Amino acid sequence: ASGGYPKRVKVVEVGPRDGLQNEKNVVPTPVKINLINMLSETGLQVIEATSFVSPKWVPQMADHTEVMQGINKLPGISYPVLTPNLKGFQAAVAAGAKEVSIFGAASELFTKKNINCSIEESLERFDEVMKAAREASIPVRGYVSCVLGCPYEGKISAAKVAEVSKKLYSMGCYEISLGDTIGVGTPGSMKEMLTVVMKEVPVGALAVHCHDTYGQALANILVALQMGVSVVDASVAGLGGCPYAQGASGNVATEDLVYMLNGLGIHTGVDLQKLMDTGTFICSALNRRTNSKVSQASCRL
Amino acid sequence: QEPQASGLPEYIKIVEVGPRDGLQNEKVVVPTGTKIELINRLSKTGLPAIEVTSFVSSKWVPQMADHKEVMRGIERHPGVQYPVLTPNLQGFHSAIAAGATEVSVFGAASESFSKMNINCSIEESLEKFGEVTKSARNINIPVRGYVSCALGCPYEGNVVPDKVAEVSKRLYSMGCYEISLGDTIGVGTPGSMKKMLEAVMKEIPLSALAVHCHDTYGQALANILTAIQMGVAVVDSSVAGLGGCPYAKGATGNVATEDVVYMLNGLGINTGVNLYAVMEAGNFICTALNKKTNSKVAQASFSTGTIN
């Protein structure tokens, strides 16, 4: 129903990790650090800083330790990092990480192609990360990929999404971010999926991570908000193309999201102008145009 | 029509404005033959209404100088409406002579915009339109009314919802069968869309309302969703998102028909439109204009080679 909206929304900025990871040009460490520092000045409360994954797999994130140690960590801001396994977790904590994220998927084929095991096996691998995190009092965020469609399997059942989400939640993840990995979702499939997931995971522990590959992101986010979701992932300047559709866009732009939330009178604490300035900086460094329409429109060049 | 269990309309009429609003705001002047070809292709997609051209002085809008040739040159498919813009009585007569069977008039909810755009006040513009609607009524020609700046004005900034309601009501009472509410500079959000529609819906029946959202700030689909959740069942859009914003250099304008249809398909709402056929028409015109499509659905689909 189009009744109420949450009064506040937590925006989780994934540009420095998810965004940059999907950009062709490798970004020098000082640029990454400056990006995160600028984001820290915008009012964003959560900034995903990097990924403690093997540089063999993800060269863009090879400088994870330097980035983690180099950024200004402002009080009140969380700087989660991805940790695909125990080794990565340990390296992350040694580098100063205070929050980590793990990734599951609602598609068997996607999991197989991505990390060469089944969903069940992938979650078992995270058992040791969860245990170590619990011992160190480190909060863990869980991601579920392919919640509205899979590049290999096509349609994904909402029940499967709920099953994987529930598993991650019971393992101890404080929040589950539901990712429309290839952006095929629409308000129809978003509503259907959330209805089922919300039977297994409390809405207060849910986040949406929408991709704008088919232009549906803000409409999908709107529906999620209408259903009570109050945590939304986004990427400054819409950094990060879609690896499954060459030339197509990926992450939704944080500027465009904040613009919409402002218009709805929803509090985010984010300064849109500072955010746009940050987007301008990183696009200049990447020598690319912004994917944010708000930024494009506001540019009077 | 009855609402579905979801509360959304079962059917939404899409009004394709690419050939007029779209091309009018493209820098490259398009040859008459290309315009006709585009419209003919759109006629085969299932779109129920295609805005063909504008009977405005070629001095003002060079892109529409060939309005007569286009009107006379296109195939007229049964069940498809081909409205044209008629800013005044002279344009109206010219349109009818060229075979038009539906016309549109453009009002604005902002005095400054009206002055800057057509060099007269809102009241004066409505008087001109009154002449058009009167003549149109005499020969049974339906008239669609547009209200520009419904969610914001490039000169005045904020626009009061009651003003939008007032202008809409004037157009409706003079005989316009449908009022298309335009977010001319795309600044609207679901918040302002809702407030504006609430005010307008006090004056105009829901079934006579349409939304014409621009995607300049990326808000179009979210705004359209809000409108259809409130029961609006007519949506304007432009194939390939043709037509930039004349008020924000380099920024986008019209929302892409492909992206709207994709969303409505996903919502289980019937439009009668074949998405693939629209994408092909979009591909045709973008090739002719030598530009990239503004439709994300088209971009993604042509990249992967699959239609999701």
Side-chain angles (χ1 to χ4, degrees):
Chain A
S2 51
Y5 287 99
K7 286 199 167 55
R8 318 178 82 88
V9 162
K10 180 174 83 172
V11 176
V12 175
E13 172 59 47
V14 300
R17 204 284 308 169
D18 192 0
L20 292 184
Q21 184 166 318
N22 288 297
E23 288 289 326
K24 284 197 179 55
N25 300 334
V26 173
V27 171
T29 308
V31 171
K32 287 190 181 106
I33 290 173
N34 196 43
L35 169 64
I36 296 167
N37 289 346
M38 284 184 81
L39 289 167
S40 291
E41 301 291 334
T42 62
L44 284 161
Q45 294 171 268
V46 186
I47 302 164
E48 198 176 63
T50 186
S51 179
F52 281 79
V53 69
S54 160
K56 193 175 56 172
W57 293 119
V58 187
Q60 180 75 278
M61 299 288 129
D63 55 2
H64 39 66
T65 305
E66 292 88 337
V67 169
M68 202 64 216
Q69 287 173 342
I71 56 175
N72 293 338
K73 295 205 188 83
L74 268 55
I77 300 182
S78 183
Y79 300 90
V81 300
L82 251 64
T83 52
N85 48 39
L86 188 60
K87 184 165 155 222
F89 175 81
Q90 286 160 344
V93 173
K98 299 267 186 295
E99 179 176 331
V100 302
S101 306
I102 61 174
F103 262 79
S107 155
E108 289 289 357
L109 259 178
F110 185 84
T111 306
K112 185 110 191 100
K113 294 249 187 201
N114 238 29
I115 51 177
N116 202 24
C117 63
S118 70
I119 298 177
E120 185 63 42
E121 286 165 341
S122 78
L123 295 177
E124 271 164 27
R125 285 183 194 177
F126 287 127
D127 273 339
E128 352 171 69
V129 174
M130 297 311 298
K131 188 160 176 274
R134 204 160 30 244
E135 276 159 18
S137 290
I138 299 252
V140 182
R141 187 187 213 226
Y143 280 93
V144 182
S145 300
C146 297
V147 301
L148 297 177
C150 170
Y152 312 107
E153 284 187 20
K155 201 168 188 315
I156 294 292
S157 87
K160 191 70 186 173
V161 181
E163 185 195 315
V164 178
S165 303
K166 183 178 184 171
K167 190 86 211 292
L168 286 167
Y169 188 65
S170 13
M171 281 163 71
C173 292
Y174 77 93
E175 194 168 81
I176 310 298
S177 175
L178 304 163
D180 181 13
T181 306
I182 47 170
V184 290
T186 64
S189 56
M190 173 63 87
K191 186 173 189 209
E192 196 194 310
M193 183 275 294
L194 282 176
T195 302
V196 177
V197 173
M198 277 161 61
K199 290 190 180 126
E200 306 293 341
V201 180
V203 71
L206 291 177
V208 289
H209 183 112
C210 297
H211 278 190
D212 205 37
T213 319
Y214 289 77
Q216 309 294 305
L218 286 188
N220 293 345
I221 289 166
L222 191 69
V223 161
L225 295 173
Q226 289 173 351
M227 293 177 74
V229 172
S230 63
V231 184
V232 181
D233 300 359
S235 176
V236 62
L239 291 181
C242 179
Y244 306 96
Q246 224 221 24
S249 60
N251 286 302
V252 69
T254 314
E255 298 93 315
D256 300 0
L257 169 67
V258 170
Y259 185 90
M260 181 174 83
L261 297 176
N262 284 352
L264 280 161
I266 294 173
H267 181 258
T268 61
V270 178
D271 181 324
L272 182 53
Q273 185 56 56
K274 286 190 178 150
L275 187 59
M276 289 199 287
D277 292 343
T278 308
T280 302
F281 160 73
I282 190 62
C283 286
S284 172
L286 282 165
N287 194 26
R288 59 158 284 177
R289 282 188 67 191
T290 182
N291 270 343
S292 156
K293 288 201 163 170
V294 168
S295 209
Q296 276 170 42
S298 310
C299 177
R300 288 274 182 275
L301 293 172
Chain B
Q1 81 213 351
E2 294 300 310
Q4 311 179 53
S6 65
L8 299 173
E10 264 185 24
Y11 170 79
I12 285 184
K13 178 176 93 171
I14 296 187
V15 176
E16 171 60 47
V17 301
R20 204 283 308 168
D21 192 0
L23 292 183
Q24 184 167 318
N25 287 297
E26 289 288 331
K27 282 195 178 60
V28 176
V29 172
V30 172
T32 307
T34 307
K35 288 190 181 106
I36 290 172
E37 172 74 27
L38 171 64
I39 294 164
N40 288 346
R41 283 172 184 248
L42 290 168
S43 288
K44 298 183 176 119
T45 62
L47 283 161
I50 302 166
E51 197 177 65
V52 168
T53 186
S54 181
F55 281 77
V56 68
S57 159
S58 43
K59 190 176 58 176
W60 293 120
V61 186
Q63 179 79 279
M64 299 287 129
D66 55 2
H67 38 67
K68 288 201 192 80
E69 291 84 344
V70 171
M71 198 70 223
R72 292 201 182 109
I74 57 171
E75 291 165 9
R76 305 281 282 262
H77 289 232
V80 183
Q81 295 294 345
Y82 298 94
V84 300
L85 251 65
T86 51
N88 49 39
L89 201 55
Q90 188 194 15
F92 175 78
H93 290 314
S94 193
I96 298 303
T101 49
E102 180 176 327
V103 301
S104 306
V105 294
F106 261 77
S110 153
E111 286 292 353
S112 309
F113 188 83
S114 195
K115 191 98 190 107
M116 296 292 267
N117 230 33
I118 51 178
N119 202 24
C120 63
S121 69
I122 296 177
E123 187 59 44
E124 286 165 338
S125 75
L126 290 173
E127 278 165 23
K128 283 189 199 158
F129 302 144
E131 296 177 343
V132 173
T133 55
K134 189 155 174 266
S135 295
R137 195 162 40 246
N138 287 342
I139 55 173
N140 279 332
I141 295 279
V143 183
R144 190 188 212 224
Y146 281 90
V147 181
S148 300
C149 297
L151 298 177
C153 169
Y155 312 106
E156 287 180 13
N158 204 26
V159 172
V160 174
D162 282 345
K163 189 71 187 174
V164 183
E166 184 196 315
V167 178
S168 303
K169 184 174 184 177
R170 284 292 297 278
L171 287 167
Y172 187 67
S173 347
M174 69 171 69
C176 293
Y177 77 92
E178 193 168 87
I179 310 298
S180 175
L181 304 162
D183 182 12
T184 306
I185 46 169
V187 289
T189 63
S192 55
M193 172 63 84
K194 182 163 195 250
K195 287 198 178 90
M196 183 277 294
L197 282 176
E198 278 168 352
V200 175
M201 278 160 59
K202 288 187 187 136
E203 307 292 345
I204 315 273
L206 197 45
S207 56
L209 289 178
V211 288
H212 183 112
C213 296
H214 278 190
D215 204 37
T216 319
Y217 289 75
Q219 309 294 304
L221 286 188
N223 292 342
I224 289 167
L225 181 65
T226 301
I228 68 181
Q229 285 178 341
M230 292 173 75
V232 171
V234 183
V235 176
D236 299 359
S237 60
S238 176
V239 61
L242 290 181
C245 179
Y247 306 97
K249 200 178 129 101
T252 56
N254 286 301
V255 68
T257 305
E258 298 92 318
D259 299 1
V260 173
V261 172
Y262 185 91
M263 180 173 81
L264 297 180
N265 284 352
L267 281 162
I269 294 173
N270 182 35
T271 60
V273 177
N274 179 328
L275 175 54
Y276 193 75
V278 177
M279 285 201 284
E280 291 203 299
N283 193 35
F284 162 76
I285 191 62
C286 287
T287 304
L289 282 165
N290 194 27
K291 65 165 278 183
K292 275 187 73 183
T293 181
N294 273 339
S295 157
K296 286 201 162 168
V297 169
Q299 272 172 43
S301 302
F302 287 123
S303 306
T304 58
T306 59
I307 314 300
N308 273 291

